[in-house]
Amino acid sequence: MLTVSAYGMKAAGQPLEPLTIDRRDVGPHDVLIEIRYAGICHSDIHTIREEWGPIQFPQVVGHEIVGEVTEVGSEVTKHAVGDRVGVGCMVNSCGECDECRAGNEHYCLNGNVGTYASVDVDGTITQGGYSTHVVVDEGFVLRVPKEIPYEAAAPLLCAGITTYSPLHRFGAGAGKKVAVVGMGGLGHMAVKFAAAMGADVTVLSRTASKKDDAIAFGASRHVATGEEGAVAALRGEFDLIINTVSAPLDIDAYLRTLRPEGALVNVGLPPEALPIHVSSLIGGGKTFAGSAIGSIGETQEMLDFSAEHGIAPEIELISADRINEAYERVVASDVRYRFVIDTATL
Ligand code: NAP
Ligand code: ZN
């Protein structure tokens, strides 16, 4: 067992603080990763503040992890010491159900093992990436191409795949009009990917403050949805909408901005239920869908796509002692566009 430095919450409702956690011994199929950078996802905040339900403490979160392999188990074939690798939102799955066998580990019928706050195969609670090291089964470790700047790579492991996957599945590409609602960590990646796929991208953000950034990330248009009548004026415009908003939204109003047979995919995960009128779907034969991260295979595809297209998240690199402040700024939508922790400061 390896005892490592981390930053987490010791008891419910407390600020995050330095602590130590134990990592298991490297098993035959495991790799030991020295973590270099860890992104802060809004899901970390929802989880540790128990907005999605009770969790056990102490808890360390973080599921946007990049680092270097420093040890491999005897049976490991995919990775070698010195490789630059990444870990996202899951660290294991049953491997035997129909979904796992089809390469959809993220939809494992027995529930995959989340990178944090999840019951691991040995019965312990998983601890996340705001730490110096992690031990992970090699099947859940991704190759991070050298073309992607090291500090900026981490957010691809959650914000990247969570937006890439539904854009891909719902056919974002040339000739398609895609809207991205909310331009935070996930939203800004959705804009970059949709533009790189060839779609015509509109950003729907509450104020005009992110307009220049939206255009710089590849959008052709930005609409400030907080202005009276702005959403209603977009009636029938879009083939596809990706909603990344972390709070409840008037879904019916956004469904009206879809063309007939268009789709609105919710990736934002507010704790509250979102009411919708089925008439908003029936008139126009529209689809309201959800999407969770992506498979390991698709995550690797997304990393390779990012390297090929020169896509990287926009980040603000912080030291560990600024994590609590960063959380407040994420909740206030005052992040451009992802905080990344330099784990050397742990
Ligand atoms: P984030 O950086 O905080 O971005 C959320 C954006 O939503 C904000 O930048 C803001 O954009 C908009 N927003 C926030 N509050 C709002 C409100 N009350 N009304 C309207 N718009 C609001 O968060 P994130 O890390 O991108 O995560 C977004 C959501 O996705 C979270 O709920 C997270 O848990 C979830 N998530 C889901 C998955 C999945 O697999 N489905 C994976 C990761 C995260 P503007 O300033 O542009 O308006
Ligand atoms: Zn996340």
Side-chain angles (χ1 to χ4, degrees):
M1 206 162 60
L2 187 66
T3 300
V4 306
S5 300
Y7 214 88
M9 201 180 274
K10 289 183 177 165
Q14 301 293 308
L16 278 70
E17 56 188 305
L19 45 78
T20 58
I21 51 174
D22 294 329
R23 297 301 192 185
R24 67 168 182 263
D25 288 331
V26 177
H29 298 282
D30 288 337
V31 300
L32 172 64
I33 300 165
E34 187 179 315
I35 300 173
R36 292 290 165 78
Y37 301 100
I40 294 180
C41 177
H42 207 123
S43 300
D44 299 348
I45 304 174
H46 289 310
T47 301
I48 212 154
R49 294 188 174 172
E50 299 189 293
E51 291 168 2
W52 287 338
I55 60 167
Q56 284 186 33
F57 293 93
Q59 182 65 58
V60 172
V61 292
H63 57 205
E64 295 183 336
I65 300 169
V66 293
E68 198 170 303
V69 175
T70 54
E71 191 183 330
V72 296
S74 55
E75 308 283 317
V76 167
T77 57
K78 245 179 97 179
H79 305 286
V81 170
D83 284 358
R84 187 201 281 192
V85 294
V87 176
C89 301
M90 55 186 171
V91 288
N92 220 326
S93 71
C94 82
E96 288 166 3
C97 71
D98 287 350
E99 294 304 325
C100 283
R101 279 210 296 256
N104 292 325
E105 312 84 357
H106 57 315
Y107 295 133
C108 172
L109 297 174
N110 294 305
N112 58 56
V113 179
T115 303
Y116 57 73
S118 204
V119 181
D120 209 345
V121 283
D122 61 4
T124 60
I125 298 294
T126 53
Q127 301 288 342
Y130 303 177
S131 63
T132 57
H133 297 78
V134 65
V135 176
V136 182
D137 183 287
E138 67 161 336
F140 289 79
V141 177
L142 288 307
R143 271 179 289 108
V144 177
K146 289 267 177 290
E147 294 82 359
I148 304 172
Y150 216 162
E151 323 79 65
L156 291 172
L157 278 305
C158 176
I161 183 59
T162 301
T163 50
Y164 178 91
S165 181
L167 285 167
H168 198 227
R169 176 175 149 211
F170 286 88
K176 292 290 167 76
K177 289 180 84 175
V178 174
V180 175
V181 191
M183 200 170 81
L186 266 58
H188 93 290
M189 290 313 302
V191 176
K192 290 190 178 206
F193 284 134
M197 290 171 185
D200 179 58
V201 185
T202 300
V203 169
L204 306 179
S205 178
R206 286 168 295 174
T207 67
S209 66
K210 297 174 181 173
K211 183 174 181 177
D212 292 348
D213 288 345
I215 304 301
F217 300 157
S220 65
R221 185 165 60 147
H222 172 288
V223 175
T225 56
E227 286 171 15
E228 187 70 33
V231 177
L234 298 168
R235 193 177 189 92
E237 290 245 358
F238 305 114
D239 296 289
L240 175 64
I241 301 172
I242 305 290
N243 176 21
T244 73
V245 172
S246 50
L249 199 71
D250 181 354
I251 297 298
D252 293 305
Y254 285 86
L255 285 169
R256 284 192 283 275
T257 71
L258 284 176
R259 285 181 178 160
E261 299 192 347
L264 189 162
V265 186
N266 227 86
V267 292
L269 198 44
E272 302 87 352
L274 296 183
I276 101 165
H277 287 285
V278 288
S279 59
S280 305
L281 297 172
I282 290 172
K286 295 168 183 174
T287 300
F288 179 52
S291 188
I293 50 170
S295 68
I296 292 297
E298 195 175 33
T299 305
Q300 190 62 59
E301 179 187 307
M302 176 276 308
L303 288 165
D304 296 342
F305 180 93
S306 300
E308 192 185 320
H309 292 265
I311 292 174
E314 307 294 318
I315 64 146
E316 183 173 338
L317 193 63
I318 61 165
S319 51
D321 58 0
R322 292 184 55 211
I323 294 173
N324 290 298
E325 171 199 334
Y327 272 26
E328 294 313 319
R329 287 182 52 197
V330 171
V331 170
S333 301
D334 175 26
V335 49
R336 306 275 167 116
Y337 281 84
R338 201 58 142 183
F339 288 110
V340 171
I341 303 159
D342 178 354
T343 57
T345 63
L346 280 164

